[in-house]
Amino acid sequence: MKVPFSWLKEYVDIDVTPQELQSKLFSCGFEVEELIDLGAEISRVVVGVVTEAVPQEGTHLHVCKVDCGDYGHDIQISTGAPNVYVGMHTPAALDGATLPGGIKIKAKPLMGVESNGMLCSGEELGLNEDLYPGAEVYGLLDLPKDTVPGADIVPVVGLDDYIFDISITANRADCQSVLGIAREVAAVLNKPLKMPATDYTTSDYKDPRLSIAVEAPDLCPRYLGHYVRNITPGESPRWMKRHLALCGLRSISNVVDITNYVMLEIGQPMHAFDMSTLESCQIIVRRARQGESIVTLDGKEFALSESNLVICDDAKPVALAGVMGGLNSEITDKTTQLLFESAKFARDSIRKTSRSLGQSTDASSHYEKGVSEYTAELGMARALHLIQELGCGEVTASAFDVSAGAPREGKHISATVSGINRILGIEVPADAVVDILTRLDFQVERDGDRLEVVAPRYREDIEVGEPDLAEEVIREYGYEHIMPTFLKDATVTGGGLDPDQQRRAKAKRVLCAQGFYEAETMSFYADADLDALHIAADAPERKVIRILNPISSNLTIMRPLLAPSLLNCAVENIKRGNASGRLFELSNIYIPRQIPVAELPEERLHLGFVAWGDEEDFFQVKGAVEVLAEQFGLTFDYQRADDTPWLHPGISAHILCQGRRIGSFGKLANDVTAELKLPKDSKNHQKIFLGEIDYVALAELVDPNIRYQPIPEFDVVARDLALVADEAVTCGDIVSEMRKACPHVGEIQLFDIYRGEQLGEGKKSMAFTLHFVPAGKPLESAEVDRYVKKILGNLKYRLGVEIR
């Protein structure tokens, strides 16, 4: 947000330099991204008085003698400007001067005649008509006759000013205005704040036909309207034009400029409807109806839905609430009566409308951060005052204030000085605490250690009592007072990683060795990401923590799963031409302890992984999972995962460890994959494998002690078995029965699956390699035969599986 230094000084008697003020703003929590010196690029440009102007024969030039005061009273400068005349006061760029854009001026011959500089137009100084009258005239800038020859041009044309480009954080919506920053400047400098005038008088006229109704009070908690008639459109005064121009806006007309001025000064986006263009005198604030459309002031047409809030007359929408007015009700030079609108709209409603329609404006930017009901009230009063000050209309008695119970007082907080100091970890004197809060416009009553505090009505970010007050105190008291100390329970250690950190590092190394790259994604995503995985509305994963003031419509909830984040990574890679890859992430998910949220969530560590590419298949991913288990001394078992909506029911599995389900993985379900809008020419777009493991549960099953296990003294005996089973029988079922039948079975590998007419309908052949581990003596062939016979008997009895 751009804030002119000269405008700030109208509200606060600032006795520090702009550079010092920049430092003070930063110290109290406002980052000045850039301090722009308007005249920084201009040097050796002074007021010159033309004492002689002789046409140069055969050219369009005039050879002038220019009085530049102390720089010289008879400097020869040639100019091609058509409006030059003797006695003209105009900017003169002398030899060695610099103009905006880094342009250097040097003395040199011009059409054979020596010219020792250049006479300047307003455009060449970076001026426009709003910044300085006559700046856009074709030719030289004609300065007032009372300007002194040789005076520096920068203060003469008002370029001796600075612009603070301030980054306003989402929680400080009250500071997205010049007045909001002025409040902070007054507090940090301990100076009184001079509020802008908001007084006005109304005539006796009241239009009985005019009415306002709010049908969506949840999206519009407060709506103010005021009828103004006998409008006389015209130019705005110079001071208003200059303020607007310094903030990057061009003057349009007095009435339109007032709405823009109030938004910049007070932080309240306003709109004015031309009443003569409305179908009726009734204004209705409601959700748009399906199929309605609107053409906004910029000429764009938008199809609306029920999620959009609109301002309507009896027949049609006339404004897109909080975003932009409609073309059908814009103010023109023929406007004679208007309705001023000043409202508080729900932040999320405006954000969703702006994002979904791709229509971002200064107004929507303000509303997305939040506008208080107090600001709406103050903005309306300021606009009506300006109507009378500029003499461009009659403020009637037709005024409306439609409220859905919007608060009329600030939040009340009970706190203690000791509690604030306990949070800060330092001792701030009680008098200093009261003084700081009072300077910040809080109402404070102190009784010993206890404080009863009422926050200003515009500070809607004050919510959690003492922590919020502590933040206000320390940013004014000074962060430099906080001294580094040990935590109460801190201990000095020899350094290094603790056992849990070592396990995490080991897990990452194992996955990297399997070809995975580590990813780190945001802790937030949106409901749409859960929708993409076809997660049911009543599923546990839908119980999420919602962000009250999200920075983006795509980051509205704290993630309950890692799977959507990693899937998005895979999809982006595929769209960018990365045909194959493997990623993993070891990060927290967030599980609410109760809904609605009343305490901090459980942060649970999960291990997610994704693999895609033409070479990937279920068993390769399963192999990587088993290597992870082996490295931690564990054995995984598997069950068919036909209850996981985003995984293919026939190519997925739940991961079991010691009888406990700790995760699942498998191929992405076909219907989920089809909705990803992957490139049609991507050969691997059907080969995405997604998995997630509860790392906390996994870590609980890992034996913390290192145990030595000797290599078998005798050779392991391997046998291959080709088995015929029903299609319903899974590999996991067979492996589980093999292990139950014989304790000497070690590693089991599935190396072939076959289906054919010879086997019969509904049958499949699965070929395994079984490794039998000897126990203290070599395994005899007959002994292995007995083991195999027992295994086959169990498979036949329990699963109906036969040897092929």
Side-chain angles (χ1 to χ4, degrees):
M1 185 187 73
K2 289 181 168 57
V3 181
F5 187 52
S6 57
W7 200 350
L8 278 177
K9 291 195 287 186
E10 295 180 15
Y11 308 115
V12 185
D13 293 326
I14 300 174
D15 55 2
V16 297
T17 66
Q19 292 76 14
E20 290 172 325
L21 183 58
Q22 176 186 17
S23 177
K24 290 181 179 295
L25 285 172
F26 185 82
S27 69
C28 64
F30 294 91
E31 180 186 358
V32 180
E33 294 184 336
E34 186 179 6
L35 180 59
I36 305 168
D37 182 352
L38 295 182
E41 293 186 305
I42 300 175
S43 65
R44 286 183 60 80
V45 183
V46 299
V47 175
V49 179
V50 179
T51 59
E52 182 181 316
V54 179
Q56 184 176 343
E57 187 177 350
T59 73
H60 67 290
L61 301 176
H62 283 78
V63 180
C64 303
K65 299 292 184 180
V66 184
D67 179 5
C68 294
D70 293 341
Y71 292 91
H73 298 287
D74 200 22
I75 300 174
Q76 181 170 297
I77 300 177
S78 292
T79 179
N83 64 334
V84 65
Y85 62 89
V86 174
M88 184 183 204
H89 290 229
T90 192
L94 305 177
D95 182 25
T98 305
L99 296 178
I103 299 172
K104 301 289 185 181
I105 304 300
K106 297 292 183 182
K108 61 180 180 180
L110 198 61
M111 295 287 188
V113 176
E114 186 69 20
S115 179
N116 296 298
M118 183 179 79
L119 302 183
C120 302
S121 66
E123 183 181 357
E124 287 165 334
L125 295 177
L127 298 171
N128 60 35
E129 197 70 28
D130 292 343
L131 284 172
Y132 195 86
E136 295 181 8
V137 171
Y138 177 69
L140 302 180
L141 180 62
D142 199 348
L143 299 172
K145 296 300 183 283
D146 59 355
T147 51
V148 179
D152 185 0
I153 199 64
V154 168
V156 170
V157 296
L159 291 177
D160 56 336
D161 203 352
Y162 289 82
I163 306 295
F164 293 84
D165 191 354
I166 304 174
S167 175
I168 305 298
T169 53
N171 65 312
R172 291 306 305 271
D174 61 294
C175 289
Q176 52 183 348
S177 65
V178 178
L179 178 61
I181 297 299
R183 292 190 191 109
E184 295 295 324
V185 171
V188 76
L189 296 180
N190 198 11
K191 300 277 188 178
L193 175 69
K194 293 177 280 189
M195 288 289 290
T198 55
D199 59 301
Y200 61 91
T201 58
T202 60
S203 67
D204 295 331
Y205 179 79
K206 189 170 185 177
D207 192 333
R209 301 169 300 162
L210 188 61
S211 67
I212 295 178
V214 177
E215 296 180 358
D218 56 325
L219 303 184
C220 180
R222 192 174 188 189
Y223 190 94
L224 303 175
H226 208 117
Y227 177 52
V228 180
R229 66 174 186 167
N230 297 330
I231 296 297
T232 54
E235 285 193 21
S236 298
R238 180 182 173 185
W239 60 266
M240 180 175 282
K241 287 183 177 181
R242 176 174 171 80
H243 284 161
L244 293 173
L246 289 174
C247 293
L249 296 181
R250 292 300 302 264
S251 174
I252 299 173
S253 68
N254 47 17
V255 174
V256 176
D257 288 352
I258 285 173
T259 62
N260 289 331
Y261 189 85
V262 170
M263 181 176 67
L264 294 174
E265 181 187 41
I266 307 296
Q268 175 62 49
M270 296 194 66
H271 189 64
F273 300 100
D274 186 339
M275 294 298 294
S276 64
T277 65
L278 303 182
E279 297 287 340
S280 70
C281 291
Q282 184 179 20
I283 293 293
I284 304 170
V285 184
R286 61 170 173 81
R287 287 176 168 84
R289 300 188 179 103
Q290 201 69 34
E292 280 187 319
S293 64
I294 186 173
V295 178
T296 50
L297 288 170
D298 57 359
K300 297 178 182 178
E301 183 174 3
F302 297 99
L304 305 177
S305 68
E306 294 179 355
S307 63
N308 304 131
L309 185 68
V310 291
I311 317 298
C312 306
D313 57 18
D314 265 350
K316 63 186 181 302
V318 294
L320 200 53
V323 180
M324 188 178 285
L327 189 62
N328 51 19
S329 63
E330 73 171 325
I331 302 299
T332 68
D333 55 4
K334 297 181 181 179
T335 299
T336 59
Q337 55 178 336
L338 60 83
L339 179 75
F340 266 135
E341 165 196 281
S342 182
K344 172 182 173 61
F345 297 121
R347 292 176 297 185
D348 56 342
S349 171
I350 304 304
R351 183 181 298 109
K352 290 173 182 176
T353 294
S354 175
R355 298 296 190 275
S356 63
L357 300 180
Q359 187 77 338
S360 181
T361 62
D362 289 337
S364 67
S365 176
H366 278 69
Y367 278 120
E368 286 176 20
K369 289 187 175 71
V371 171
S372 69
E373 54 88 20
Y374 167 79
T375 305
E377 181 182 300
L378 183 66
M380 177 62 81
R382 180 59 171 160
L384 297 177
H385 169 86
L386 291 172
I387 284 285
Q388 290 190 336
E389 182 178 337
L390 272 56
C392 56
E394 173 193 339
V395 180
T396 72
S398 294
F400 301 87
D401 184 351
V402 184
S403 171
R408 297 295 187 271
E409 59 182 23
K411 297 173 184 175
H412 184 275
I413 301 167
S414 296
T416 61
V417 175
S418 58
I420 291 173
N421 285 334
R422 186 167 51 251
I423 293 170
L424 298 177
I426 59 174
E427 289 297 321
V428 181
D431 290 341
V433 171
V434 174
D435 175 61
I436 288 170
L437 293 176
T438 302
R439 281 192 275 130
L440 290 169
D441 206 16
F442 289 76
Q443 300 174 30
V444 185
E445 292 184 6
R446 178 188 166 205
D447 182 9
D449 187 50
R450 177 158 292 280
L451 301 175
E452 296 297 328
V453 182
V454 178
R457 289 170 60 194
Y458 52 81
R459 290 298 302 274
E460 293 188 341
D461 59 303
I462 303 297
E463 294 181 344
V464 291
E466 282 185 353
D468 280 339
L469 296 183
E471 181 181 359
E472 297 299 304
V473 168
I474 195 58
R475 69 187 184 87
E476 296 292 335
Y477 190 65
Y479 291 101
E480 68 273 9
H481 289 92
I482 297 179
M483 302 302 293
T485 60
F486 259 140
L487 297 174
K488 290 181 180 179
D489 298 328
T491 58
V492 178
T493 68
L497 303 179
D498 62 30
D500 182 56
Q501 292 170 328
Q502 291 175 355
R503 280 193 295 272
R504 295 187 196 185
K506 181 178 181 179
K508 293 180 179 181
R509 288 196 303 271
V510 170
L511 288 171
C512 286
Q514 296 300 307
F516 286 85
Y517 287 88
E518 184 176 7
E520 289 187 10
T521 61
M522 295 283 284
S523 297
F524 316 104
Y525 45 64
D527 289 296
D529 293 294
L530 297 177
D531 296 339
L533 295 186
H534 293 189
I535 296 176
D538 58 350
E541 294 84 1
R542 291 287 187 172
K543 296 179 180 178
V544 296
I545 298 166
R546 301 195 174 275
I547 310 302
L548 291 178
N549 192 20
I551 60 176
S552 165
S553 58
N554 297 324
L555 303 171
T556 56
I557 62 175
M558 300 188 76
R559 62 184 177 200
L561 289 171
L562 295 181
S565 301
L566 289 171
L567 177 58
N568 288 337
C569 289
V571 170
E572 284 301 312
N573 272 277
I574 294 172
K575 289 181 177 179
R576 293 174 186 270
N578 297 323
S580 62
R582 288 184 168 193
L583 298 173
F584 78 91
E585 180 172 12
L586 184 59
S587 298
N588 285 330
I589 64 167
Y590 303 89
I591 305 171
R593 300 180 191 276
Q594 61 185 67
I595 299 292
V597 176
E599 57 180 316
L600 293 175
E602 176 189 356
E603 298 184 31
R604 194 170 182 87
L605 203 60
H606 270 213
L607 175 62
F609 50 93
V610 64
W612 71 94
D614 195 45
E615 300 298 323
E616 295 289 355
D617 63 29
F618 175 83
F619 296 105
Q620 284 188 328
V621 177
K622 177 173 176 285
V625 171
E626 289 179 340
V627 169
L628 178 68
E630 180 183 359
Q631 292 298 313
F632 282 100
L634 300 172
T635 300
F636 286 165
D637 294 317
Y638 306 93
Q639 286 182 344
R640 183 190 294 270
D642 51 9
D643 58 349
T644 306
W646 60 89
L647 296 181
H648 191 296
I651 316 176
S652 60
H654 291 306
I655 303 172
L656 306 180
C657 188
Q658 300 178 19
R660 181 177 174 183
R661 182 188 294 184
I662 63 169
S664 58
F665 74 98
K667 183 177 180 291
L668 198 63
N670 292 340
D671 52 350
V672 175
T673 305
E675 295 171 1
L676 295 179
K677 298 180 180 179
L678 296 173
K680 294 182 179 180
D681 59 348
S682 176
K683 296 180 180 179
N684 62 307
H685 73 282
Q686 296 288 338
K687 303 286 288 290
I688 300 177
F689 295 86
L690 198 60
E692 188 159 342
I693 294 173
D694 184 341
Y695 180 82
V696 175
L698 174 68
E700 289 173 353
L701 300 173
V702 175
D703 191 338
N705 299 314
I706 299 175
R707 300 180 183 278
Y708 169 72
Q709 185 173 354
I711 297 174
E713 183 179 355
F714 305 102
D715 290 338
V716 173
V717 178
R719 290 286 178 91
D720 291 344
L721 295 178
L723 306 173
V724 177
D726 293 335
E727 282 286 358
V729 178
T730 67
C731 174
D733 295 335
I734 294 175
V735 170
S736 178
E737 287 302 325
M738 288 178 174
R739 294 195 183 281
K740 291 178 183 178
C742 180
H744 296 285
V745 174
E747 184 180 0
I748 302 175
Q749 295 176 330
L750 174 69
F751 64 87
D752 182 57
I753 299 177
Y754 170 76
R755 294 175 176 86
E757 295 180 359
Q758 304 93 320
L759 299 177
E761 187 176 352
K763 298 288 185 178
K764 62 183 175 183
S765 171
M766 306 175 72
F768 296 88
T769 297
L770 281 67
H771 296 85
F772 294 92
V773 180
K777 63 176 183 177
L779 283 173
E780 300 291 340
S781 179
E783 189 176 4
V784 174
D785 290 341
R786 288 198 303 273
Y787 295 156
V788 170
K789 185 176 181 180
K790 184 177 181 183
I791 289 171
L792 293 175
N794 276 32
L795 291 174
K796 172 72 175 176
Y797 177 72
R798 297 183 181 276
L799 302 175
V801 175
E802 296 182 345
I803 190 76
R804 183 177 172 187

